[in-house]
Amino acid sequence: MSKKRVVVSLGHDSLGYTTGAQRDAVRVTAVALADLVEEDYQLTITHSNGPQVSMIHKAMTELRRVYSDYTPAPMCVCSAMSQGYVGYDIQNALRAELLSRGISKPVSTILTQVTVDPYDEAFYEPTKAIGRYMSAADAEAELNKGNYVREYADKQFRRVVAAPRPIDIVEIDAIRALAEANQVVIACGGGGIPVIEQQHALKGASAVIEKDSIAGKLAAELGSDELIILTGVDCVYRDFGTEKQSPIASMTLAEAKTAVAEGRFEAGTMLPKIEAGIAYLERVKGGRVLITSMARVKDAVKGRAGTVITV
C-alpha cells in the first residue's frame, strides 16, 4: 500500500459544464491528480455531476418529445449515464497522464449505487432543480405524472427532485478491494445512483445525492487517512464575500461544528463541504480534511495553502 490513502472529491470546476469543456477540464485535473499519485497517495476519486446529469435528463426528455415511441429515462438511469461518461473521461485522462510520467497504474471506474431511505424528509420537499425550463403546460403535465416542479422568473418552470441522505454504498467492498490493491478508483460519481432496497432488489429513486455528503461517507467507510475536497476557492474563508473576508488555515472538529451551528457557512456551497468533513472525522479520529482549489492542491498537501480540519 502507499503511504497515505486519500479520497479526493472533485467539484464542477474540475469537470467543466459541457462534453467538450469536460474533455479539456479533465486533462488539467489529471495533472493535479497525477501529482498526488507521485507523492505516493493511493487515490479514490469521487466527483460532481450536476451539469452532466441535467444535460442527459434534458436530452432524454427531448428524445421522448420528438419520438413518442421512446421511453423517457428515469433519474436513476440519467445518474448512471453521467457516472459512466464522467468516469470514462477522468480515467482515460489520468491514465494517459500517469503513463506520460512513466507510472503504470490501473485506473478504474466503479458504477456505484447508494441506498437511501424512502421516508427521508427530502422526498417530501424536493429542492434540486434538474433538466430543462418548461412552460406552464409542460409543468402541469409533470405534476400530473406525480413529479415536483418549481416556478422561476418569467413563468418558467423546472422539475425538482429530492436530495436524501446516503445510507449505504452498495459496491463498497469492490471499491475497497481495488483501493487496497493500490489502484486508482473512481466511485460514487455524482453522489452515487440513489436506490431503495425492496427485499433483495434495488429500485432506482427519483433523487440525487449530494456529492460532498457521499465523499465524507466514502472516506469514512474506507478508513482513509485524508479527505481532500477540491472546490472553486483556495481555502475556507471567514466572512466570505464581505470586506472582512479572511482565510481560515485550520480548524478543529469542535470549531467546525460550532461554526456550522452558528450558520457561518453558506448552504449549497461551503456548508456541505464542512458537514462532509465533520461526518468523516467523527468516524476516523486520526483523519485529516483538506479543502482547497485544484490550482493550489499541490501546495496545499504540503501545508502551504488550503484549509485543514482535524480532530
Side-chain angles (χ1 to χ4, degrees):
M1 281 293 294
S2 295
K3 295 177 183 177
K4 190 172 285 189
R5 298 164 299 163
V6 179
V7 167
V8 180
S9 176
L10 304 176
H12 298 326
D13 292 343
S14 303
L15 301 175
Y17 291 80
T18 65
T19 52
Q22 179 174 294
R23 284 194 301 272
D24 294 336
V26 295
R27 292 190 188 101
V28 177
T29 299
V31 173
L33 295 173
D35 288 341
L36 295 177
V37 173
E38 283 198 318
E39 292 289 332
D40 210 17
Y41 286 63
Q42 184 279 316
L43 303 186
T44 300
I45 302 163
T46 189
H47 58 81
S48 66
N49 76 335
Q52 291 81 5
V53 76
S54 187
M55 177 182 66
I56 291 168
H57 185 271
K58 289 178 187 177
M60 300 306 291
T61 300
E62 287 304 306
L63 186 65
R64 165 64 176 172
R65 283 158 55 87
V66 175
Y67 300 102
S68 59
D69 54 334
Y70 276 81
T71 303
M75 275 304 304
C76 55
V77 173
C78 294
S79 179
M81 290 179 177
S82 71
Q83 270 198 47
Y85 105 81
V86 175
Y88 162 75
D89 273 352
I90 295 173
Q91 73 181 35
N92 281 351
L94 181 53
R95 177 180 178 275
E97 180 63 28
L98 290 172
L99 287 173
S100 75
R101 302 183 188 200
I103 301 171
S104 180
K105 184 183 288 289
V107 183
S108 306
T109 298
I110 300 291
L111 197 64
T112 315
Q113 301 173 97
V114 176
T115 60
V116 297
D117 183 352
Y119 301 107
D120 190 302
E121 291 184 1
F123 283 108
Y124 301 99
E125 293 186 15
T127 58
K128 288 291 184 180
I130 194 78
R132 65 189 176 91
Y133 284 94
M134 298 179 286
S135 66
D138 287 342
E140 184 176 358
E142 287 295 322
L143 289 170
N144 290 337
K145 296 175 189 175
N147 295 325
Y148 290 83
V149 297
R150 176 184 292 171
E151 183 175 351
Y152 292 83
D154 301 324
K155 293 295 183 180
Q156 293 288 298
F157 300 82
R158 290 185 79 185
R159 183 181 171 188
V160 289
V161 297
R165 293 180 299 105
I167 299 175
D168 290 315
I169 300 170
V170 177
E171 288 76 23
I172 190 63
D173 289 339
I175 297 166
R176 185 181 291 112
L178 291 172
E180 290 179 351
N182 199 24
Q183 299 188 20
V184 178
V185 192
I186 303 164
C188 297
I193 304 164
V195 293
I196 295 170
E197 290 190 276
Q198 295 184 338
Q199 296 181 339
H200 297 299
L202 296 172
K203 181 180 180 181
S206 182
V208 294
I209 297 171
E210 290 281 4
K211 65 95 179 169
D212 292 316
S213 179
I214 202 63
K217 186 170 185 63
L218 178 61
E221 291 288 336
L222 294 176
S224 298
D225 299 301
E226 189 166 354
L227 168 61
I228 299 177
I229 299 176
L230 299 182
T231 185
V233 291
D234 293 343
C235 63
V236 181
Y237 290 91
R238 187 179 291 105
D239 300 317
F240 181 71
T242 72
E243 293 181 354
K244 297 188 295 181
Q245 173 178 302
S246 61
I248 300 173
S250 64
M251 286 187 285
T252 65
L253 176 59
E255 288 170 340
K257 286 182 175 180
T258 298
V260 168
E262 293 176 352
R264 296 184 202 170
F265 304 115
E266 184 179 359
T269 54
M270 190 53 69
L271 178 61
K273 296 165 179 56
I274 302 296
E275 290 177 332
I278 290 171
Y280 158 66
L281 291 173
E282 286 180 332
R283 292 183 57 188
V284 182
K285 300 301 182 182
R288 181 176 186 265
V289 177
L290 172 62
I291 302 175
T292 189
S293 64
M294 178 68 64
R296 298 303 307 278
V297 66
K298 190 173 182 178
D299 289 331
V301 296
K302 298 177 181 177
R304 296 198 291 261
T307 298
V308 173
I309 310 174
T310 56
V311 174

